[in-house]
Amino acid sequence: MDFFQDARSDGSGRVSLRHLAGRDQDEFLGLVGASAELHRPWVSLPSTPEQFQDYVRRYARPDEESLLVCVRGSGEIAGVINVNSIIRGRFQSGSVTYAAFAPSAGKGYMREGLALVVRYAFEQLRLHRLEAQIQPGNYASIELVRRVGFRSEGYSPELLYIDGAWRDHERWAITNTMIDVAPTPPHPTLPER
């Protein structure tokens, strides 16, 4: 398994990350079913084996990453965080989406997991910027990105099609200059000038 450990030097983090894989199907689908009320109307995740396999294939592409937030010790999946639409060149950016699973919700695992994903995106993927688009009424999600260090960048009416309608979203972002990350060389697709 490809675990990404926490970034704390004392190893005190409660979660680690690993890439989503086909072997996760049964646990993932069970958690999606148990979390339906928590997710609606904010996010829609695969709920059938066919949808899950399509989801796995999507995140096998080089411009997409799907990472599971796993509780250290038990390996239990607490949530999923995706880095979508990775754009290289002068932008070096991706968009994050995420969902906690009901059995682990409210325990702070997603805050730790999102902080790890931010570090992974900046140090391993060598991105410069991550964005999150959040519906205004999703207070828990707004508080999550705020705690991890994202800044509010505005409001976009009818930005994304969610739960059968075009929904307004707040835009939040974080750059690699806003947090302390290990120095890495620029991604090879970044122009020199």
Side-chain angles (χ1 to χ4, degrees):
M1 292 187 182
D2 55 341
F3 280 95
F4 306 97
Q5 298 301 322
D6 66 85
R8 297 179 191 190
S9 59
D10 64 359
S12 64
R14 299 177 301 152
V15 301
S16 60
L17 304 174
R18 67 176 174 81
H19 283 102
L20 176 75
R23 68 180 178 272
D24 298 309
Q25 178 177 298
D26 293 342
E27 183 179 3
F28 191 93
L29 292 178
L31 290 165
V32 167
S35 307
E37 286 196 31
L38 177 65
H39 294 160
R40 191 157 202 212
W42 315 119
V43 67
S44 177
L45 293 171
S47 58
T48 68
E50 296 77 18
Q51 290 172 349
F52 181 81
Q53 292 307 316
D54 288 344
Y55 194 73
V56 169
R57 279 190 290 277
R58 172 186 175 182
Y59 287 103
R61 296 184 347 214
D63 61 340
E64 306 279 339
E65 296 263 341
S66 185
L67 299 158
L68 298 175
V69 178
C70 300
V71 178
R72 292 180 88 178
S74 71
E76 168 191 357
I77 299 172
V80 61
I81 302 175
N82 300 318
V83 183
N84 300 306
S85 306
I86 296 171
I87 300 172
R88 295 296 184 178
R90 296 189 187 282
F91 201 34
Q92 300 296 329
S93 182
S95 179
V96 295
T97 60
Y98 44 83
F101 291 123
S104 302
K107 296 180 180 176
Y109 295 143
M110 290 302 287
R111 185 197 54 75
E112 288 186 39
L114 183 56
L116 287 175
V117 168
V118 167
R119 184 165 297 282
Y120 170 75
F122 293 157
E123 293 177 353
Q124 302 299 314
L125 300 178
R126 296 190 275 173
L127 295 177
H128 170 69
R129 176 183 177 85
L130 287 175
E131 300 177 0
Q133 292 79 30
I134 305 168
Q135 292 176 61
N138 192 343
Y139 305 116
S141 188
I142 291 169
E143 187 58 25
L144 172 62
V145 295
R146 181 178 288 138
R147 285 185 176 178
V148 172
F150 284 65
R151 66 179 169 226
S152 175
E153 292 193 334
Y155 182 86
S156 294
E158 300 181 16
L159 181 66
L160 296 172
Y161 191 78
I162 309 283
D163 196 35
W166 289 99
R167 307 284 178 181
D168 300 346
H169 283 72
E170 292 184 20
R171 295 184 326 277
W172 292 77
I174 190 169
T175 65
N176 62 3
T177 59
M178 294 169 59
I179 64 168
D180 183 28
V181 294
T184 57
H187 192 271
T189 61
L190 183 69
E192 288 185 31
R193 299 176 46 142

